[in-house]
Amino acid sequence: RAVVMASVEDFGIVPLEAMACARPPVVFAEGGGRETVLPGQTGVLFQEPTGASLRAAVDSLEGLRFNTSTLRSHAEAYSRQVFEARFRAFVEEALADGFVPPHSPTW
């Protein structure tokens, strides 16, 4: 029914992988998981690193319904293609503004 991530992860890839598989993640609200989960829409966050807090989060799934299309589209917003396109646009904009990286050759 869901994927539980009770650890702290820098990026939050585990919740995104769960969403890509149309499963809501139950995530400890620290680190990257907090940034990739939209509470109630794409997953559930639990605030304290305790069994009781995790249990309450898992129990809250009973009253929630997650749209599989929403889960998948949210995960796709973090895809490699999206990252590359955004990174490329950032670099192109920086270069268009005349940005010269420090220690770059001046040919």
Side-chain angles (χ1 to χ4, degrees), residues 6-39:
S7 61
V8 177
E9 181 186 354
D10 290 343
F11 176 69
I13 193 73
V14 170
L16 291 171
E17 289 172 341
M19 290 177 227
C21 295
R23 293 291 180 253
V26 177
V27 178
F28 180 48
E30 279 195 26
R34 174 185 60 214
E35 296 176 19
T36 59
V37 173
L38 303 174

Side-chain angles (χ1 to χ4, degrees), residues 22-95:
R23 293 291 180 253
V26 177
V27 178
F28 180 48
E30 279 195 26
R34 174 185 60 214
E35 296 176 19
T36 59
V37 173
L38 303 174
Q41 295 177 30
T42 63
V44 174
L45 298 176
F46 63 99
Q47 302 299 320
E48 299 172 18
T50 64
S53 184
L54 173 57
R55 170 54 109 191
V58 170
D59 288 347
S60 75
L61 290 171
E62 197 64 37
L64 297 173
R65 297 289 170 251
F66 295 93
N67 181 303
T68 57
S69 295
T70 300
L71 292 171
R72 287 188 177 128
S73 66
H74 186 69
E76 288 172 6
Y78 292 86
S79 72
R80 179 180 181 164
Q81 293 83 1
V82 170
F83 172 80
E84 288 174 353
R86 290 178 67 196
F87 187 79
R88 186 175 295 109
F90 172 81
V91 170
E92 288 172 359
E93 183 179 324
L95 293 175

